[in-house]
Amino acid sequence: MTVPAAALDPGTRSNRPARAPSLSRVRLAGVLGVLVLWEAAATLFARLATADFFPHLWTLAAAYGEVFSSRFATDVALTGYELFWGLLFGIGSGLLLGLALGLNHFAREIVEPLLVYLGTVPKIVLYPVLLLFLTVGVESKIAMAALSTFFPVVLHTITAATEVRPLWLSAARVLRASALQRLRYVYLPAMAPSVYSGIRLGIAAGIIGTLMAETKAAQGGVGYRVIYYYSQYDIPEMYAVLILVFVFSIALASVLGWIGRRLRLSDSDPAEEGALL
Amino acid sequence: MSTMTDHRTHTTGALVVDNVSKSFRGDGGLGEPVPALGNVSLQVDHGEFVSLIGPSGCGKSTLINIAAGLVGDYDGAVRIHGDRVTTPHPGIGMVFQEESTFPWLTTQQNVEFGLRMSGVSAKERRDQARDMIELVGLGNAAERYPAKLSGGMRQRVALARALVMEPEILLMDEPFAALDEQTRMVLGEELLRIQSKLQQTVVFVTHNLGEAVQLSDRVVAMTARPATIKAIVEVDLPRPRDSSIVSSPRYGELVAELWSLLRDEAIAALGERERG
Ligand SMILES: Nc1ncnc2c1ncn2[C@@H]1O[C@H](COP(=O)(O)OP(=O)(O)OP(=O)(O)O)[C@@H](O)[C@H]1O
Ligand SMILES: [Mg+2]
């Protein structure tokens, strides 16, 4: 049997257009499925219990009116501000220390195990300390975001630096690359995929850290808003905000995934991206 | 056209290996020093093609790496144009024994790498790399990344990446080991053609005795570790050569001679490995 060579080559573009619509159809079906399940659960709960733990879809829709007419935009802006600075500090310091340790074998031997152990501690346990030093305002949230972001970034950067194969450096040297050129044309591209996945994990951790902190002690922000609605027993409004958070996370994950694929930093599929954020 | 006599007209010693020794310390620098090379001396003339053969682990790669300037710390001297080599000399090119292509670059970009580092213009390096890629038979894989290539194809990328620089001295550490016999033959002929055209000096490591005879002016047989030179065999086959040379009786005699030189060393090397 003869098969056209193009049909066997995984690199050809021919199988793409056929796959894309079916994938979006699957996603659409998934969203519809979730809505149906939600409504089924809401109906069931309405029968079984008096409490409205599961609001009906129309109640939920109405709750968005209430949420958006409150000072929700201010909360989003506040959380955005905290995240921006937190992620900036966390990613920046993670990259710098990661590079320094990755290129210095001796320092790495000492510091890396420490970072690995500290990295596994849930950062939220340090939140009281941050509150103590930085008060209940934005500073403690920024610190929380930075702390959460820092560990995945620094650990991935160290790994990335140690994964640069000496043979690549030798090959580059024989091909007349100067030390600076080796940094730019070997270290950088060789490390980029691993560093980028560290940054993605760091962003996810930073968002979690910030929202958690806002639910514990804060004067505003998206996490604060969730806990506020909860304490007022405005359950539909609470869900409405939570759903926005989910949608935002998914959107951010796909944007980061798309950027990664565009820059050839990752070729992971969308399923993996969901797991990252 | 290049002939035997052409190769011998310049006898200035393009690459001089003068009493070179090298020991490695095992166990992260704490163990006993293990000698890998013991007092090797060799002169490779300008335009000459010299092969190194010897049992596995005897120190051939070590010698090649020292000549490439990748091992700064060794005893004795490797000299290129009279200078002791401790960093890569700009006139050398190298094909490594292990996989050394850059996985983040396409075939085309890999082959352009050295030209780019030396500041060759984008258009010029694209054309030069393109030609070299055609020459090693990767014309339809130019835009692919190494992960999508076979081991033999990747090795040809590495070969093209070195050749495109037109190095004066070419160090090749088992460049064809991952290739099938047919590709090996074709690329061998191509290498000889380029080498005689550019009057390149080649030091070529191989385990394939036939290949050594087919390509070389001289074949250096090395002993088991620590490597010293056991014998040097002159290959008195006429040039230009092509792969039909393998059917000549002299070819068979030379291969047999090399094998008899290596046989004891191979057994010695194996025995050492069994003892641990
Ligand atoms: N960086 C190193 N550290 C410690 N020992 C080394 C190092 N490089 C090589 N050796 C040792 O030196 C000896 C010679 O190694 P080398 O790679 O030069 O052998 P070779 O002749 O190229 O072998 P092969 O034909 O299998 O490639 C080996 O015993 C090897 O274990
Ligand atoms: Mg070797």
Side-chain angles (χ1 to χ4, degrees):
Chain A
M1 194 183 76
T2 53
V3 181
L8 291 173
D9 188 352
T12 51
R13 226 170 287 156
S14 61
N15 52 5
R16 285 252 164 149
R19 221 185 111 200
S22 74
L23 189 63
S24 63
R25 230 176 283 155
V26 167
R27 281 178 178 163
L28 187 66
V31 171
L32 285 177
V34 168
L35 289 179
V36 169
L37 276 180
W38 180 284
E39 190 52 37
T43 314
L44 193 66
F45 255 86
R47 292 256 175 86
L48 292 180
T50 47
D52 49 354
F53 293 162
F54 263 107
H56 286 289
L57 286 179
W58 56 85
T59 324
L60 203 57
Y64 276 104
E66 161 62 26
V67 169
F68 289 137
S69 64
S70 73
R71 48 187 287 271
F72 187 61
T74 327
D75 289 318
V76 171
L78 186 65
T79 302
Y81 178 83
E82 293 162 355
L83 267 179
F84 177 81
W85 290 109
L87 294 181
L88 198 69
F89 287 135
I91 292 172
S93 57
L95 284 179
L96 283 181
L97 188 67
L99 266 181
L101 293 180
L103 300 179
N104 185 333
H105 184 74
F106 186 67
R108 191 185 112 230
E109 291 287 303
I110 299 169
V111 184
E112 193 186 11
L114 219 71
L115 289 175
V116 170
Y117 288 126
L118 281 177
T120 59
V121 176
K123 309 305 166 298
I124 196 72
V125 302
L126 293 175
Y127 190 52
V129 183
L130 299 178
L131 278 176
L132 211 57
F133 280 91
L134 297 168
T135 75
V136 78
V138 289
E139 292 85 353
S140 57
K141 314 299 177 297
I142 291 175
M144 189 64 207
L147 198 63
S148 309
T149 306
F150 170 77
F151 284 95
V153 175
V154 73
L155 291 175
H156 274 75
T157 307
I158 293 172
T159 309
T162 55
E163 276 170 358
V164 177
R165 292 181 53 201
L167 198 59
W168 293 334
L169 297 169
S170 297
R173 282 181 68 196
V174 177
L175 291 165
R176 306 177 198 172
S178 65
L180 212 63
Q181 283 176 322
R182 291 199 294 276
L183 209 59
R184 164 72 186 80
Y185 295 105
V186 180
Y187 275 104
L188 191 73
M191 290 175 64
S194 207
V195 170
Y196 187 69
S197 75
I199 289 176
R200 281 172 67 178
L201 287 170
I203 290 174
I207 292 174
I208 293 167
T210 310
L211 291 183
M212 282 241 263
E214 285 178 346
T215 63
K216 301 293 171 209
Q219 292 156 337
V222 175
Y224 168 81
R225 187 56 44 187
V226 173
I227 248 9
Y228 169 81
Y229 283 133
Y230 170 78
S231 66
Q232 300 294 308
Y233 213 68
D234 292 333
I235 301 302
E237 283 78 5
M238 180 193 85
Y239 277 117
V241 177
L242 280 180
I243 287 167
L244 287 178
V245 171
F246 277 124
V247 170
F248 171 74
S249 304
I250 291 168
L252 185 64
S254 9
V255 168
L256 291 175
W258 180 82
I259 293 174
R261 283 193 303 276
R262 277 310 292 266
L263 299 177
R264 287 193 53 83
L265 296 176
S266 59
D267 34 25
S268 58
D269 55 289
E272 256 176 85
E273 280 143 33
L276 277 180
L277 252 179
Chain B
M1 278 298 134
S2 158
T3 65
M4 266 303 278
T5 41
D6 272 339
H7 280 275
R8 293 316 180 90
T9 43
H10 323 263
T11 45
T12 35
L15 182 77
V16 180
V17 179
D18 185 8
N19 214 9
V20 168
S21 307
K22 172 73 188 170
S23 300
F24 289 106
R25 282 182 182 277
D27 300 332
L30 299 172
E32 283 283 291
V34 180
L37 279 180
N39 301 62
V40 175
S41 292
L42 176 70
Q43 177 161 328
V44 185
D45 294 339
H46 181 82
E48 192 184 17
F49 197 123
V50 169
S51 286
L52 302 180
I53 58 172
S56 177
C58 77
K60 304 180 294 295
S61 295
T62 305
L63 181 58
I64 287 275
N65 284 329
I66 290 172
L70 295 169
V71 180
D73 175 30
Y74 66 95
D75 298 321
V78 171
R79 293 184 196 282
I80 297 175
H81 296 311
D83 300 325
R84 185 173 186 268
V85 171
T86 48
T87 55
H89 189 280
I92 61 144
M94 171 133 177
V95 180
F96 293 84
Q97 181 171 7
E98 298 101 62
E99 168 65 54
S100 71
T101 53
F102 302 123
W104 58 89
L105 300 178
T106 62
T107 298
Q108 177 79 27
Q109 293 164 336
N110 260 288
V111 177
E112 283 183 22
F113 188 90
L115 299 170
R116 190 171 183 191
M117 296 304 110
S118 332
V120 176
S121 78
K123 183 184 172 337
E124 213 169 304
R125 64 175 193 252
R126 190 168 55 238
D127 295 345
Q128 289 182 27
R130 189 74 229 177
D131 292 347
M132 196 48 78
I133 289 167
E134 290 291 343
L135 201 66
V136 297
L138 290 176
N140 50 18
E143 298 311 319
R144 280 201 246 165
Y145 288 87
K148 297 272 164 70
L149 302 176
S150 72
M153 290 163 95
R154 285 199 284 267
Q155 196 61 2
R156 279 182 277 160
V157 174
L159 182 66
R161 189 177 65 180
L163 286 176
V164 79
M165 303 296 287
E166 304 198 339
E168 176 191 336
I169 300 173
L170 192 51
L171 306 170
M172 308 178 88
D173 197 351
E174 304 192 31
F176 298 159
L179 302 178
D180 61 275
E181 195 62 27
Q182 302 89 287
T183 315
R184 180 197 288 263
M185 287 280 185
V186 174
L187 281 180
E189 283 180 20
E190 209 50 65
L191 176 64
L192 281 187
R193 205 181 55 73
I194 296 169
Q195 183 252 348
S196 72
K197 192 177 86 185
L198 299 176
Q199 284 290 299
Q200 278 167 322
T201 307
V202 180
V203 181
F204 189 96
V205 177
T206 181
H207 281 293
N208 186 322
L209 304 185
E211 184 175 80
V213 172
Q214 185 200 338
L215 298 174
S216 315
D217 298 310
R218 285 189 294 161
V219 180
V220 178
M222 305 186 85
T223 63
R225 200 190 57 164
T228 53
I229 292 175
K230 179 162 185 171
I232 298 181
V233 175
E234 296 264 348
V235 181
D236 48 2
L237 292 166
R239 287 187 188 271
R241 301 176 193 158
D242 58 35
S243 43
S244 67
I245 199 113
V246 300
S247 53
S248 81
R250 183 66 188 135
Y251 171 89
E253 284 169 29
L254 285 163
V255 171
E257 185 181 347
L258 289 177
W259 171 234
S260 70
L261 279 170
L262 277 192
R263 198 174 165 275
D264 298 341
E265 297 304 328
I267 290 167
L270 267 179
E272 187 191 81
R273 203 167 310 152
E274 268 156 26
R275 280 197 306 275

